[in-house]
Amino acid sequence: ILTKYDYDFPANLIAQAPATPRDSAQLLVYDKKTKKLSHDTFKNLANHLPKNSVLVFNQTKVIPARLEVTKPTGGKANLLYISHDATLVRVISDRKLHSNTPVYWSGKKLFTVVKQEGQFYFLKPSFPIKNIFKVLEKYGQTPLPPYIKHSPLKGKKLRDQYQTVFAKTLGSVAAPTASLHFTKSLIAKLKKAGIDSAFVTLHVGLGTFATLTENQAKTGKLHSEYYNIDKKVAKLLNKAKKDGKLIISVGTTVTRTLESACDHNNQLTKLSRATDLFIHPPYKFKFIDGMITNFHVPKSSLMMLVASLVGRTKLLEI
C-alpha cells in the first residue's frame, strides 16, 4: 500500500527555516472543481478562498518537549516528553535507560526511571508532576521533525518560530505546521475580506515523528491524539455548515479533529476525546470542504489523508 504513496523526495529542497515574513512563503492552489493548478504567495490567500468560507485553526501550543539529561554513568540521553498521568511521565529516549536509576539535568536529579514498555520509558519526577510543563519550559528544547536536520534556529528563536501566532493551549510535541505561514496581518486581512475563523485544539503527538508501517496501513489503526472543541465553536461551525458555508481546515490536525467529532448526522457533537482516526482513500469527508496543508513526506499517513481529498494520482502529480 505504502509504495503507492512514494515519490522522489529531494532532501536539499526542504526548508530548514521559515520564510521571513512567514506569509511570504510560496502557495500552490488546486481547485477541485476546475482541476486547475496555480501558484501565488501565501499572503494573497484571501484571493483564493470563496467569500462564504470559514477557516478552522488548531490553537495548540508546542511544549519544549526535548530534554537532554545526564545518566549516572555521565553519559547523555535525549528524552522526548510524550504524556503524563497522575504519577509518571512517559518519554522516549535515544539511549538505553535502566530501571531504578536517576537522570539529571545540570547536576539536579529530575527523574527516576521506573520501567520500560516497548519504546517508552516511565519516569517518576523529583518535583510535583503537575509542574511538568513548567519544568519543560525551563529546561526543555523545541523538538523539530526528523526531516529538518540543520536548522539555523536555536533556543528562544526556535521556540518562537516553531509556534503559531495564535498558539494558546500547551500540549503538542510538534507544531501544526500548516498554520506556521499565518501572520497577524494576514489574519486581519482575511477577516477584512469577510472570511470567518474558528479555533479548535488537537495536541500533536508522537505519530507526527513516527514512520507509517505497512501493518498500520493494512489494519487502518493510527496513533491516538487528544482533541477538544469548545461548545460555542461547535455551534458556530454546525450552523455555518448548515448555512452552506465552506469549511476549510488549516492543516491535517484540524481535518482529523473535525472529522472525528462528527456524528452520523454530520454534526459536531463528539467534542472532547482521543482520536485514532486514519483518513485514507476512499474516505468520504463528512465536514470539511477544503484544506490548507503543507507538502508531506512520502509514504506517510498525511499523504494518504490529502489523497482522500484530491485523489492519489492527482496528489502525486501535484
Side-chain angles (χ1 to χ4, degrees), residues 64-194:
R66 199 175 289 288
L67 201 57
E68 188 182 74
V69 295
T70 307
K71 302 196 290 180
T73 57
K76 302 283 186 197
N78 268 301
L79 309 183
L80 181 68
Y81 164 89
I82 303 300
S83 63
H84 69 278
D85 60 20
T87 54
L88 299 177
V89 178
R90 185 167 64 125
V91 303
I92 54 176
S93 173
D94 68 343
R95 296 283 185 273
K96 177 101 180 124
L97 301 176
H98 296 284
S99 294
N100 302 315
T101 58
V103 291
Y104 303 90
W105 190 90
S106 199
K108 292 179 188 170
K109 184 173 118 175
L110 269 193
F111 303 102
T112 301
V113 182
V114 174
K115 59 180 177 177
Q116 181 182 5
E117 284 178 12
Q119 64 177 323
F120 301 111
Y121 289 95
F122 292 82
L123 314 180
K124 189 170 177 56
S126 311
F127 51 85
I129 200 158
K130 67 177 194 293
N131 295 338
I132 181 64
F133 287 164
K134 283 182 185 169
V135 169
L136 289 170
E137 285 281 346
K138 193 171 181 182
Y139 305 129
Q141 299 160 17
T142 299
L144 284 173
Y147 49 82
I148 298 180
K149 305 274 188 213
H150 308 291
S151 176
L153 303 174
K154 297 284 180 282
K156 187 179 183 308
K157 188 132 192 172
L158 178 58
R159 280 195 192 193
D160 293 344
Q161 291 288 328
Y162 199 60
Q163 199 79 270
T164 65
V165 293
F166 42 77
K168 188 178 178 184
T169 315
L170 268 176
S172 281
V173 299
T177 49
S179 299
L180 289 175
H181 306 297
F182 286 85
T183 59
K184 286 181 177 171
S185 62
L186 175 56
I187 291 167
K189 194 195 282 187
L190 289 163
K191 193 176 179 182
K192 203 174 174 185

Side-chain angles (χ1 to χ4, degrees), residues 138-274:
K138 193 171 181 182
Y139 305 129
Q141 299 160 17
T142 299
L144 284 173
Y147 49 82
I148 298 180
K149 305 274 188 213
H150 308 291
S151 176
L153 303 174
K154 297 284 180 282
K156 187 179 183 308
K157 188 132 192 172
L158 178 58
R159 280 195 192 193
D160 293 344
Q161 291 288 328
Y162 199 60
Q163 199 79 270
T164 65
V165 293
F166 42 77
K168 188 178 178 184
T169 315
L170 268 176
S172 281
V173 299
T177 49
S179 299
L180 289 175
H181 306 297
F182 286 85
T183 59
K184 286 181 177 171
S185 62
L186 175 56
I187 291 167
K189 194 195 282 187
L190 289 163
K191 193 176 179 182
K192 203 174 174 185
I195 307 292
D196 292 332
S197 292
F199 294 85
V200 300
T201 302
L202 178 137
H203 292 316
V204 185
L206 177 66
T208 292
F209 295 110
T211 310
L212 185 67
T213 65
E214 277 289 354
N215 191 46
Q216 283 176 312
K218 281 174 188 159
T219 59
K221 290 283 179 210
L222 209 54
H223 59 279
S224 184
E225 291 172 321
Y226 174 81
Y227 73 83
N228 181 65
I229 305 173
D230 184 85
K231 280 182 184 172
K232 284 182 186 170
V233 172
K235 194 176 175 184
L236 181 147
L237 288 172
N238 283 331
K239 186 179 183 308
K241 188 74 181 167
K242 205 175 168 186
D243 293 346
K245 292 194 172 183
L246 299 178
I247 309 296
I248 313 291
S249 59
V250 180
T252 56
T253 62
V254 173
T255 303
R256 203 172 185 216
T257 299
L258 297 177
E259 294 297 308
S260 299
C262 271
D263 61 18
H264 60 282
N265 294 317
N266 295 349
Q267 289 279 288
L268 304 176
T269 55
K270 297 179 268 185
L271 303 186
S272 189
R273 57 176 58 194

Side-chain angles (χ1 to χ4, degrees), residues 299-315:
K299 301 194 276 190
S300 63
S301 63
L302 305 179
M303 279 275 292
M304 294 171 88
L305 185 152
V306 183
S308 303
L309 193 64
V310 301
R312 185 184 69 89
T313 310
K314 176 51 76 175
L315 176 65

Side-chain angles (χ1 to χ4, degrees), residues 9-26:
F9 186 58
N12 61 308
L13 295 181
I14 303 165
Q16 299 298 304
T20 310
R22 293 178 181 204
D23 58 9
S24 65
Q26 294 177 71

